[in-house]
Amino acid sequence: MEAPAAPHSPAETELIVTSPGQMGELGRRLAALLRAGDLVMLSGELGAGKTTLTRGLGEGLGVRGAVTSPTFVIARVHPSLSDGPPLVHVDAYRLGGGLDEMEDLDLDVSLPESVIVVEWGEGKVEELTDDRLFVRIHRAAGDTTDEVRHVTVTGLGERWAGADLGALSG
């Protein structure tokens, strides 16, 4: 993974990921920064690598169960195999409204003791907390064989103020 010379701000970094293996490794590195109460929002086109990143996060957090796309079940909870926080993996792709439509998932109840990762969460879960990590994954449009992804990780709120997200580049 390559990082540019300097991030845009202390709470943002940009990375270039060239393979699914590197995307998983980015997830494992990101897991080292996370703690119970963290919300991670993932944005990117279909096939960009959101679930691959989350699979690496699950490995890094040491949770039980295979991390797969929760598109049809909307949310999956992966309990910790140790004393770490569980991972709640949500796919909001099929949900149209904001937080009201997601109330049945009880994310606000789960947040204090879990790490919550929401794919396609923009405009739907921001009300959960002012402190969140936003991960945008961009890939070349129309070229499904290109493995290169441009990843921007932005920390929002007091939790991420001054965080060294540049450490994600390895």
Side-chain angles (χ1 to χ4, degrees), residues 30-164:
L30 183 56
L33 299 177
L34 298 175
R35 62 183 186 217
D38 284 341
L39 172 64
V40 180
M41 296 172 54
L42 304 180
S43 170
E45 301 88 4
L46 288 171
K50 296 178 298 295
T51 300
T52 301
L53 177 77
T54 306
R55 188 172 299 120
L57 258 170
E59 291 170 9
L61 291 171
V63 299
R64 185 178 62 207
V67 175
T68 59
S69 178
T71 299
F72 297 105
V73 295
I74 309 298
R76 285 196 171 94
V77 177
H78 299 275
S80 176
L81 292 170
S82 60
D83 61 352
L87 171 66
V88 178
H89 184 198
V90 179
D91 187 331
Y93 182 74
R94 296 185 314 142
L95 301 177
L99 192 58
D100 290 343
E101 189 171 335
M102 298 188 74
E103 268 186 5
D104 289 342
L105 299 177
D106 287 333
L107 296 181
D108 55 335
V109 173
S110 301
L111 184 59
E113 71 269 358
S114 305
V115 169
I116 297 181
V117 176
V118 182
E119 297 184 27
W120 306 96
E122 281 183 272
K124 299 174 184 172
V125 296
E126 289 90 342
E127 296 173 27
L128 284 173
T129 179
D130 290 334
D131 300 312
R132 58 192 172 274
L133 203 59
F134 190 51
V135 181
R136 291 176 192 87
I137 305 171
H138 298 281
R139 68 178 183 142
D143 185 358
T144 58
T145 61
D146 185 359
E147 296 292 339
V148 175
R149 306 295 193 256
H150 296 269
V151 181
T152 304
V153 182
T154 306
L156 303 169
E158 189 175 321
R159 158 76 171 98
W160 297 103
D164 182 15

Side-chain angles (χ1 to χ4, degrees), residues 10-29:
E12 183 171 278
T13 193
E14 294 184 16
L15 306 158
I16 297 174
V17 175
T18 60
S19 70
Q22 281 189 354
M23 188 65 78
E25 178 59 29
L26 175 58
R28 287 185 289 280
R29 287 186 180 147

